[in-house]
Amino acid sequence: MDGTGRMKVDRVTLAHGGGGRAMRDLIEGVFTSVFQPPGGEDQARLMDAALKEPGARLAFTTDSFVVTPIEFPGGDIGKIAVCGTVNDLVVGGARPLWLSAAFIIEEGTEVALLRRIAASMQAEAQAAGVRIVTGDTKVVERGKGDGVFVTTAGVGVIPAGRDLGAAHIAAGDAVLVNGYVGDHGAAILAARGDMALDTDLISDCAALGHLMEAVLAAAPGTHAARDATRGGLASALNEMAAEAGVSVELNEDALPLRPEVRGICEILGLDPLYLANEGTMVLFVPQDQAAAALAAMRSRPQGRDAVQIGVAKNGLAGRVSLRSSFGGARIVDMLVGEQLPRIC
Amino acid sequence: MDGTGRMKVDRVTLAHGGGGRAMRDLIEGVFTSVFQPPGGEDQARLMDAALKEPGARLAFTTDSFVVTPIEFPGGDIGKIAVCGTVNDLVVGGARPLWLSAAFIIEEGTEVALLRRIAASMQAEAQAAGVRIVTGDTKVVERGKGDGVFVTTAGVGVIPAGRDLGAAHIAAGDAVLVNGYVGDHGAAILAARGDMALDTDLISDCAALGHLMEAVLAAAPGTHAARDATRGGLASALNEMAAEAGVSVELNEDALPLRPEVRGICEILGLDPLYLANEGTMVLFVPQDQAAAALAAMRSRPQGRDAVQIGVAKNGLAGRVSLRSSFGGARIVDMLVGEQLPRIC
């Protein structure tokens, strides 16, 4: 898997998807030389002692990523593909172990871009403690794709005794977030450039495994967590409240919103509660463990700005409302259409 | 997950990718109502007793599928996505258990097409004994994709004591295939229509798990197997011979080639050894177990036309040659460019 110097062309051609030597050069030169997956077969062969433990379960998830621009302040499609899939595992209480990575590449895409994406994925995987163990590349004709799409799948292990899920949420639970809301969506919007928005916003894109382990150690009674990606905090809360059969009351003053995010939303008529996040999760924790969970989060970079934003109540099942500082309240409904295409 | 009637529109819009209610309707109405994945969280939670057994290993693989046309004689992109990933697990000796399915859908794609793809995936998964347990959908603007791309990842279990791999191939091994070569590539080519090729060819697209278990029961000394997909039989054999450090000598007269495939290749100047297959695998089996392996295959529909096509030798490592009925021999090299874009 010595890939150095194998790829002598600057741009991907259809031949790189054909199954022959050109494809092998692309895969080895750009991807496997960086990821260093185990073995030479079409499948990775793996085992982790934790999976053998009585009561342990396997967690399995996937996401495709089509974010545009492919590179943005705070990340790129590769980083988001690793973080997004890791976080899908993490919010269910799983310890992430292994990722797959499949690339659909448009003819003409710069090989240098692919190298940056691979490096970004590998760096993020190492930080999150996971390995990229298997993958695939396909090439489509110019105009039949858009640069590169990345699909990751992830496998992790849920230790015995852990059972996080929206069904466990109870009235009285504190609703926590680990940090600012809407940064990713606003950063992508600004990065697209067609709005002439000049900001220093960066995506919150981050893997949350270590943070989640800290929360579960400090607040073992934690009922449920979800990463508030596409559809934003509002969609995550609506789904969870409906599944749990509770209502959720948010306190507008407590919502951690950066002034730049607030500003972009005001200019464009967007609601930050629907903006995508890629490193922000929402947690439902029994109120008597909320302080411990917050303290655990605040001691880590990804949770420095953790805060309680609301409470679960015995109200209309599935209703999420936002109470303002003036005493009024409005319903925060499920997003119907979409605010921003290709946000992740 | 009652999806009936949820999708009231005929075509996918960008709103179906936005993370809100429209997306949920698409996912529930078209995909999860068919796949019926367990649980409501972003991850599937799974366990299989076989994974707990001492010495058992987990197998993990992924492939993206961009085949065009999306529907073709003998299958569609959904069937190929299930079969391809199942077969990647199977040729390593794994029993396939679970699949993920991620869809990148172009705006304007017909919902009816997605329904046919989902039904096809579910039917093939059931036949192969696997479950589609987790998934994702993304929508891209018109002209930034091409109908639908599907990425599947698969998890299976390799029982203790099984260790198939090219490294185990030994000089003297019989080289077997389970059936006709090149059907998929030729069928796709004919289906594209721009060649005015009128044939009855259908893709060989099939999941090979049950067949492989039959082979391993009858010929437990089997050294290695690989599905001869993109790049064809020639590429699979070149890779395996190089990894094993043997040469492979094929007997041209023994190669199972349909007259229509031979005809298409003659007209277009293609070599059937490089045509993609989606239900044909090549196996290296000790010569004294070859008859048993062939008999086991021939008793099943996917192996009815199984035959020995060559032998591994102590020759130049990695060299694959084809000996013709006239006594001449030619080198069958690794494919350099590509014969057919988007064959899978």
Side-chain angles (χ1 to χ4, degrees):
Chain A
M1 304 230 192
D2 168 330
T4 51
R6 266 184 185 277
M7 281 293 290
K8 296 200 179 69
V9 297
D10 292 337
R11 292 183 183 272
V12 173
T13 67
L14 283 175
H16 288 114
R21 190 166 283 154
M23 184 183 84
R24 203 179 56 187
D25 288 353
L26 173 70
I27 292 174
E28 292 183 3
V30 176
F31 296 112
T32 60
S33 57
V34 174
F35 300 152
Q36 303 200 322
E41 303 294 321
D42 281 343
Q43 51 166 247
R45 298 168 186 185
L46 311 156
M47 191 34 77
D48 188 276
L51 262 181
K52 299 280 192 192
E53 282 171 19
R57 286 175 297 167
L58 184 142
F60 184 27
T61 190
T62 192
D63 269 315
S64 285
F65 296 86
V66 298
V67 65
T68 179
I70 288 172
E71 300 178 294
F72 49 82
D76 59 34
I77 198 169
K79 182 176 180 184
I80 207 174
V82 170
C83 293
T85 293
V86 163
N87 291 346
D88 273 352
L89 294 173
V90 160
V91 294
R95 293 187 177 123
L97 293 171
W98 305 300
L99 298 185
S100 64
F103 301 86
I104 297 173
I105 305 166
E106 186 188 11
E107 179 189 12
T109 298
E110 283 186 21
V111 172
L113 171 64
L114 299 180
R115 288 191 197 280
R116 293 196 298 276
I117 292 170
S120 167
M121 293 181 79
Q122 179 64 10
E124 199 59 34
Q126 283 187 320
V130 298
R131 289 179 65 200
I132 299 166
V133 294
T134 188
D136 183 50
T137 64
K138 291 290 187 306
V139 180
V140 296
E141 307 92 321
R142 210 179 283 263
K144 301 293 186 184
D146 194 16
V148 58
F149 301 143
V150 184
T151 301
T152 40
V155 172
V157 59
I158 305 172
R162 269 198 202 168
D163 189 20
L164 274 71
H168 301 303
I169 293 170
D173 278 1
V175 182
L176 315 180
V177 291
N178 63 306
Y180 284 94
V181 170
D183 287 8
H184 176 74
I188 291 290
L189 202 54
R192 286 187 187 162
D194 45 19
M195 305 286 184
L197 298 166
D198 190 17
T199 77
D200 296 328
L201 270 177
I202 62 168
S203 166
D204 62 341
C205 186
L208 300 174
H210 302 307
L211 185 71
M212 189 69 181
E213 290 297 325
V215 168
L216 292 176
T222 296
H223 285 141
R226 204 158 293 181
D227 50 338
T229 57
R230 194 170 36 157
L233 193 61
S235 300
L237 285 172
N238 266 277
E239 284 175 16
M240 297 175 90
E243 286 166 35
V246 299
S247 68
V248 169
E249 191 176 292
L250 302 177
N251 172 4
E252 186 167 28
D253 293 338
L255 274 179
L257 274 181
R258 293 188 201 278
E260 303 94 310
V261 173
R262 199 184 294 273
I264 286 181
C265 285
E266 280 174 6
I267 292 169
L268 301 177
L270 298 173
D271 185 336
L273 288 173
Y274 296 97
L275 284 184
N277 308 276
E278 291 295 336
T280 299
M281 61 177 170
V282 56
L283 302 106
F284 284 76
V285 180
Q287 189 66 60
D288 62 357
Q289 297 188 18
L294 288 170
M297 287 198 276
R298 286 173 185 154
S299 69
R300 293 187 159 268
Q302 311 303 352
R304 204 173 42 227
D305 303 300
V307 67
Q308 179 167 353
I309 58 168
V311 65
K313 292 196 163 180
N314 272 323
L316 192 63
R319 183 163 72 182
V320 180
S321 60
L322 182 71
R323 188 163 293 280
S324 82
S325 42
F326 308 110
R330 66 173 173 94
I331 303 299
V332 179
D333 206 352
M334 187 89 182
L335 183 66
V336 176
E338 54 135 17
Q339 289 211 122
L340 299 169
R342 299 182 59 187
I343 203 69
C344 60
Chain B
M1 304 230 191
D2 167 332
T4 51
R6 266 182 185 278
M7 282 293 290
K8 297 198 180 66
V9 298
D10 292 337
R11 290 181 183 272
V12 173
T13 68
L14 283 174
H16 289 113
R21 189 165 284 153
M23 184 183 84
R24 203 180 55 186
D25 288 352
L26 173 68
I27 292 174
E28 293 184 2
V30 176
F31 296 112
T32 60
S33 57
V34 174
F35 301 152
Q36 303 199 325
E41 303 294 321
D42 281 343
Q43 49 166 248
R45 298 168 186 184
L46 310 156
M47 189 36 77
D48 189 278
L51 262 180
K52 299 281 191 191
E53 282 172 18
R57 286 176 298 167
L58 184 142
F60 185 26
T61 189
T62 192
D63 269 316
S64 285
F65 295 86
V66 299
V67 65
T68 179
I70 289 171
E71 299 178 294
F72 49 81
D76 59 35
I77 197 170
K79 181 176 180 183
I80 206 173
V82 169
C83 294
T85 293
V86 162
N87 290 346
D88 274 352
L89 295 172
V90 160
V91 293
R95 294 188 176 122
L97 293 171
W98 305 300
L99 297 185
S100 65
F103 301 86
I104 298 174
I105 305 166
E106 186 187 13
E107 179 189 11
T109 298
E110 284 186 22
V111 172
L113 171 64
L114 299 180
R115 288 192 197 278
R116 292 196 299 275
I117 292 169
S120 166
M121 294 181 79
Q122 180 64 9
E124 199 60 34
Q126 284 187 319
V130 297
R131 288 180 65 202
I132 299 166
V133 294
T134 188
D136 184 49
T137 64
K138 292 290 188 305
V139 180
V140 296
E141 307 92 322
R142 209 180 283 264
K144 301 293 186 183
D146 194 16
V148 58
F149 301 144
V150 183
T151 301
T152 39
V155 172
V157 59
I158 304 172
R162 268 199 202 166
D163 189 20
L164 275 72
H168 301 303
I169 293 170
D173 278 1
V175 182
L176 315 180
V177 292
N178 62 307
Y180 283 94
V181 170
D183 287 7
H184 176 74
I188 292 289
L189 201 55
R192 286 188 186 160
D194 44 22
M195 305 286 185
L197 298 166
D198 190 17
T199 77
D200 296 326
L201 270 178
I202 62 169
S203 166
D204 61 341
C205 187
L208 301 174
H210 302 306
L211 185 70
M212 188 68 180
E213 290 297 325
V215 168
L216 293 175
T222 296
H223 286 141
R226 204 157 292 181
D227 49 338
T229 57
R230 194 170 36 157
L233 192 63
S235 299
L237 285 171
N238 266 276
E239 285 175 18
M240 296 175 90
E243 286 165 36
V246 299
S247 67
V248 169
E249 192 175 292
L250 301 178
N251 172 5
E252 188 168 26
D253 293 337
L255 273 179
L257 273 182
R258 292 185 201 278
E260 303 94 309
V261 173
R262 199 184 295 271
I264 286 181
C265 285
E266 279 174 7
I267 292 169
L268 300 175
L270 298 173
D271 185 336
L273 289 174
Y274 296 96
L275 284 184
N277 308 276
E278 291 295 335
T280 299
M281 61 177 171
V282 56
L283 301 106
F284 284 76
V285 179
Q287 188 67 58
D288 62 357
Q289 296 188 18
L294 288 171
M297 287 197 277
R298 287 173 183 155
S299 69
R300 293 188 158 267
Q302 311 303 353
R304 202 173 43 226
D305 303 299
V307 67
Q308 177 166 353
I309 58 168
V311 65
K313 292 197 165 179
N314 272 324
L316 191 63
R319 183 164 69 182
V320 180
S321 60
L322 182 71
R323 187 163 294 279
S324 81
S325 41
F326 308 111
R330 68 174 173 93
I331 303 299
V332 179
D333 206 352
M334 186 90 181
L335 183 68
V336 176
E338 54 136 16
Q339 289 211 120
L340 299 169
R342 301 182 58 188
I343 202 71
C344 61

